[in-house]
Protein backbone atom coordinates (compact mmCIF):
# COMPACT_ATOMS: atom_id res chain seq x y z
CA UNK A 1 0.00 0.00 0.00
CA UNK A 2 1.70 3.22 -1.11
CA UNK A 3 1.16 6.48 0.71
CA UNK A 4 1.67 10.00 -0.63
CA UNK A 5 4.51 11.95 1.04
CA UNK A 6 3.26 13.90 4.03
CA UNK A 7 4.45 17.18 2.52
CA UNK A 8 2.29 16.55 -0.54
CA UNK A 9 -0.78 15.77 1.56
CA UNK A 10 -0.32 18.85 3.73
CA UNK A 11 0.24 21.21 0.81
CA UNK A 12 -2.64 19.80 -1.26
CA UNK A 13 -5.15 19.99 1.59
CA UNK A 14 -4.05 23.49 2.53
CA UNK A 15 -4.26 24.67 -1.07
CA UNK A 16 -7.80 23.35 -1.40
CA UNK A 17 -8.80 24.95 1.91
CA UNK A 18 -7.43 28.31 0.82
CA UNK A 19 -9.52 28.01 -2.35
CA UNK A 20 -12.61 27.32 -0.24
CA UNK A 21 -12.91 23.75 -1.55
CA UNK A 22 -13.30 22.19 1.88
CA UNK A 23 -15.12 19.05 0.75
CA UNK A 24 -12.33 18.20 -1.69
CA UNK A 25 -9.76 19.11 0.96
CA UNK A 26 -11.41 16.76 3.47
CA UNK A 27 -11.48 13.95 0.92
CA UNK A 28 -7.78 14.48 0.20
CA UNK A 29 -7.02 14.44 3.93
CA UNK A 30 -8.99 11.24 4.53
CA UNK A 31 -7.43 9.49 1.57
CA UNK A 32 -3.96 10.75 2.51
CA UNK A 33 -3.94 10.09 6.23
CA UNK A 34 -6.79 7.58 6.56
CA UNK A 35 -4.66 4.44 6.07
CA UNK A 36 -2.22 5.29 8.84
CA UNK A 37 -4.97 6.49 11.19
CA UNK A 38 -6.94 3.27 10.63
CA UNK A 39 -3.75 1.29 11.23
CA UNK A 40 -3.19 3.03 14.56
CA UNK A 41 -6.80 2.42 15.60
CA UNK A 42 -6.49 -1.27 14.74
CA UNK A 43 -3.23 -1.52 16.71
CA UNK A 44 -4.48 0.32 19.79
CA UNK A 45 -8.08 -0.89 19.99
CA UNK A 46 -7.39 -4.48 18.85
CA UNK A 47 -11.04 -4.75 17.82
CA UNK A 48 -11.85 -4.37 14.12
CA UNK A 49 -15.54 -3.39 14.49
CA UNK A 50 -14.60 -0.79 17.12
CA UNK A 51 -11.76 0.52 14.94
CA UNK A 52 -14.13 0.79 11.98
CA UNK A 53 -16.69 2.74 13.99
CA UNK A 54 -14.09 5.11 15.43
CA UNK A 55 -12.64 5.59 11.95
CA UNK A 56 -16.09 6.51 10.61
CA UNK A 57 -16.56 9.02 13.42
CA UNK A 58 -13.07 10.40 12.77
CA UNK A 59 -13.87 10.80 9.06
CA UNK A 60 -17.09 12.69 9.81
CA UNK A 61 -15.39 15.01 12.27
CA UNK A 62 -12.59 15.74 9.84
CA UNK A 63 -15.12 16.43 7.08
CA UNK A 64 -17.10 18.79 9.31
CA UNK A 65 -14.18 20.44 11.10
CA UNK A 66 -11.63 21.11 8.39
CA UNK A 67 -13.15 24.48 7.42
CA UNK A 68 -12.46 25.78 10.93
CA UNK A 69 -8.99 24.20 11.29
CA UNK A 70 -6.53 27.04 12.04
CA UNK A 71 -3.28 25.24 11.10
CA UNK A 72 -1.84 25.98 14.55
CA UNK A 73 -0.24 22.54 14.21
CA UNK A 74 0.35 20.28 11.25
CA UNK A 75 -2.63 18.62 9.59
CA UNK A 76 -1.18 15.22 10.51
CA UNK A 77 -1.08 16.14 14.20
CA UNK A 78 -4.64 17.46 14.04
CA UNK A 79 -6.00 14.28 12.43
CA UNK A 80 -4.47 12.27 15.25
CA UNK A 81 -6.03 14.63 17.81
CA UNK A 82 -9.40 13.97 16.13
CA UNK A 83 -8.76 10.22 16.14
CA UNK A 84 -7.88 10.15 19.83
CA UNK A 85 -10.96 12.19 20.75
CA UNK A 86 -13.17 10.00 18.56
CA UNK A 87 -11.81 6.91 20.31
CA UNK A 88 -12.45 8.45 23.73
CA UNK A 89 -16.01 9.38 22.76
CA UNK A 90 -16.61 5.91 21.35
CA UNK A 91 -15.69 4.27 24.63
CA UNK A 92 -17.80 6.74 26.58
CA UNK A 93 -20.73 5.98 24.31
CA UNK A 94 -20.25 2.27 24.86
CA UNK A 95 -20.31 2.88 28.60
CA UNK A 96 -23.38 5.09 28.68
CA UNK A 97 -25.10 4.00 25.44
CA UNK A 98 -25.01 7.56 24.07
CA UNK A 99 -25.47 8.55 20.45
CA UNK A 100 -22.27 10.16 19.17
CA UNK A 101 -23.29 12.11 16.12
CA UNK A 102 -26.27 13.15 14.04
CA UNK A 103 -26.35 12.52 10.27
CA UNK A 104 -25.23 15.46 8.15
CA UNK A 105 -25.86 16.28 4.47
CA UNK A 106 -22.66 14.72 3.12
CA UNK A 107 -22.86 11.55 5.23
CA UNK A 108 -23.28 9.24 2.23
CA UNK A 109 -20.28 10.70 0.45
CA UNK A 110 -18.03 10.53 3.50
CA UNK A 111 -19.17 6.98 4.29
CA UNK A 112 -18.18 5.83 0.79
CA UNK A 113 -14.74 7.42 1.10
CA UNK A 114 -14.17 6.03 4.60
CA UNK A 115 -15.18 2.51 3.53
CA UNK A 116 -12.90 2.65 0.50
CA UNK A 117 -9.94 3.66 2.68
CA UNK A 118 -10.72 0.90 5.19
CA UNK A 119 -11.08 -1.71 2.44
CA UNK A 120 -7.75 -0.76 0.87
CA UNK A 121 -5.99 -0.74 4.24
CA UNK A 122 -7.26 -4.03 5.76
CA UNK A 123 -5.26 -6.42 3.52
CA UNK A 124 -2.07 -4.49 4.23
CA UNK A 125 -2.63 -4.68 7.99
CA UNK A 126 -3.50 -8.36 7.94
CA UNK A 127 -0.46 -9.39 5.89
CA UNK A 128 1.92 -7.23 7.93
CA UNK A 129 3.22 -10.12 10.07
CA UNK A 130 3.54 -9.38 13.79
CA UNK A 131 6.74 -10.47 15.48
CA UNK A 132 6.92 -11.59 19.09
CA UNK A 133 7.98 -8.12 20.28
CA UNK A 134 4.80 -6.65 18.82
CA UNK A 135 2.82 -9.33 20.62
CA UNK A 136 4.42 -8.22 23.88
CA UNK A 137 3.40 -4.62 23.18
CA UNK A 138 -0.19 -5.71 22.76
CA UNK A 139 -0.30 -6.78 26.40
CA UNK A 140 -0.04 -3.15 27.48
CA UNK A 141 -3.05 -0.92 28.30
CA UNK A 142 -4.57 0.94 25.31
CA UNK A 143 -3.09 4.35 26.17
CA UNK A 144 0.40 2.87 26.52
CA UNK A 145 0.02 1.03 23.20
CA UNK A 146 -1.11 4.26 21.60
CA UNK A 147 1.95 6.10 22.91
CA UNK A 148 4.31 3.44 21.54
CA UNK A 149 2.56 3.19 18.17
CA UNK A 150 2.50 6.95 17.61
CA UNK A 151 6.10 7.44 18.72
CA UNK A 152 7.78 4.32 17.29
CA UNK A 153 5.63 3.44 14.28
CA UNK A 154 4.34 6.90 13.23
CA UNK A 155 7.38 8.81 14.53
CA UNK A 156 5.44 11.78 15.90
CA UNK A 157 7.61 14.48 17.44
CA UNK A 158 7.21 14.92 21.20
CA UNK A 159 5.33 18.22 20.93
CA UNK A 160 2.94 16.74 18.35
CA UNK A 161 2.51 13.62 20.45
CA UNK A 162 1.71 15.80 23.46
CA UNK A 163 -1.03 17.58 21.52
CA UNK A 164 -2.52 14.26 20.45
CA UNK A 165 -2.51 12.78 23.95
CA UNK A 166 -4.02 16.00 25.34
CA UNK A 167 -6.68 15.84 22.64
CA UNK A 168 -6.12 19.45 21.59
CA UNK A 169 -4.62 21.08 18.51
CA UNK A 170 -3.32 24.18 20.29
CA UNK A 171 -2.28 24.56 23.94
CA UNK A 172 -0.14 26.94 26.01
CA UNK A 173 3.61 26.44 25.72
CA UNK A 174 4.07 25.53 29.41
CA UNK A 175 1.31 22.90 29.24
CA UNK A 176 2.85 21.46 26.07
CA UNK A 177 6.28 21.30 27.71
CA UNK A 178 4.96 19.52 30.81
CA UNK A 179 3.01 16.98 28.79
CA UNK A 180 5.99 16.34 26.50
CA UNK A 181 8.20 15.70 29.53
CA UNK A 182 5.59 13.39 31.07
CA UNK A 183 5.34 11.39 27.86
CA UNK A 184 9.12 11.09 27.55
CA UNK A 185 9.31 9.63 31.05
CA UNK A 186 6.38 7.29 30.41
CA UNK A 187 7.91 6.20 27.11
CA UNK A 188 11.18 5.27 28.82
CA UNK A 189 9.33 3.30 31.50
CA UNK A 190 7.41 1.44 28.81
CA UNK A 191 10.59 0.59 26.93
CA UNK A 192 12.12 -0.77 30.15
CA UNK A 193 8.97 -2.77 30.83
CA UNK A 194 9.03 -4.28 27.33
CA UNK A 195 12.69 -5.18 27.67
CA UNK A 196 11.94 -6.96 30.96
CA UNK A 197 9.00 -8.80 29.38
CA UNK A 198 11.24 -9.72 26.46
CA UNK A 199 13.84 -11.19 28.79
CA UNK A 200 11.18 -13.29 30.50
CA UNK A 201 10.04 -14.55 27.09
CA UNK A 202 13.59 -15.32 26.06
CA UNK A 203 13.78 -12.60 23.41
CA UNK A 204 16.73 -10.86 25.05
CA UNK A 205 19.75 -12.29 26.80
CA UNK A 206 20.38 -11.13 30.39
CA UNK A 207 23.21 -8.62 30.68
Amino acid sequence: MSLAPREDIESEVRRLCEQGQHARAAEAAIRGYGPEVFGVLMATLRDEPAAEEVFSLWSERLWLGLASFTWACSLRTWVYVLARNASTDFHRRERFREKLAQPFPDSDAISRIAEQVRSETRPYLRTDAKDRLTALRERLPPEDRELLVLRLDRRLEWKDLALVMLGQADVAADVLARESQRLRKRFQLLKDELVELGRREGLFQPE
Side-chain angles (χ1 to χ4, degrees):
M1 180 181 63
S2 61
L3 299 176
R6 293 168 193 164
E7 295 82 2
D8 293 348
I9 299 170
E10 301 272 334
S11 61
E12 174 67 6
V13 173
R14 189 156 194 167
R15 181 184 66 80
L16 290 169
C17 285
E18 289 171 350
Q19 293 175 356
Q21 301 185 60
H22 294 106
R24 288 185 59 196
E27 180 175 347
I30 293 168
R31 293 191 185 281
Y33 285 131
E36 64 174 90
V37 168
F38 187 56
V40 168
L41 293 174
M42 288 282 283
T44 56
L45 298 176
R46 294 189 301 173
D47 181 331
E48 187 167 333
E52 290 178 348
E53 189 163 346
V54 173
F55 184 79
S56 294
L57 179 61
W58 168 81
S59 301
E60 291 183 6
R61 291 183 175 181
L62 190 156
W63 191 279
L64 291 171
L66 189 57
S68 59
F69 177 49
T70 63
W71 299 89
C73 61
S74 70
L75 176 68
R76 185 171 186 251
T77 299
W78 181 64
V79 301
Y80 276 119
V81 169
L82 290 181
R84 177 170 174 75
N85 290 339
S87 183
T88 299
D89 289 345
F90 169 79
H91 285 98
R92 188 182 70 236
R93 185 204 67 175
E94 288 295 292
R95 195 175 305 123
F96 297 107
R97 302 300 179 185
E98 297 173 349
K99 187 172 179 58
L100 283 177
Q102 298 295 326
F104 61 98
D106 294 311
S107 58
D108 288 343
I110 192 62
S111 294
R112 286 195 298 271
I113 296 167
E115 177 52 35
Q116 182 179 3
V117 171
R118 287 196 300 265
S119 297
E120 292 173 352
T121 307
R122 284 190 198 98
Y124 170 80
L125 295 175
R126 289 170 179 165
T127 57
D128 186 19
K130 296 178 180 179
D131 58 21
R132 292 175 67 190
L133 212 62
T134 300
L136 289 179
R137 187 171 68 182
E138 290 186 349
R139 299 182 188 178
L140 299 172
E143 185 165 324
D144 289 340
R145 291 200 304 271
E146 184 178 18
L147 173 58
L148 290 173
V149 169
L150 292 177
R151 179 59 185 172
L152 293 175
D153 299 355
R154 303 308 181 194
R155 301 186 181 279
L156 262 65
E157 298 293 336
W158 288 111
K159 65 180 181 63
D160 296 323
L161 188 53
L163 291 172
V164 173
M165 301 304 279
L166 287 169
Q168 301 179 53
D170 191 14
V171 299
D174 60 331
V175 175
L176 191 64
R178 284 197 301 271
E179 181 65 5
S180 297
Q181 184 62 23
R182 184 189 75 82
L183 291 173
R184 285 176 183 269
K185 291 179 179 178
R186 184 60 188 158
F187 181 74
Q188 185 58 53
L189 288 173
L190 289 173
K191 287 201 301 182
D192 293 344
E193 183 177 346
L194 284 175
V195 168
E196 180 60 28
L197 284 172
R199 288 194 180 116
R200 293 175 190 170
E201 297 286 332
L203 298 179
F204 306 117
Q205 295 299 319
E207 294 180 356

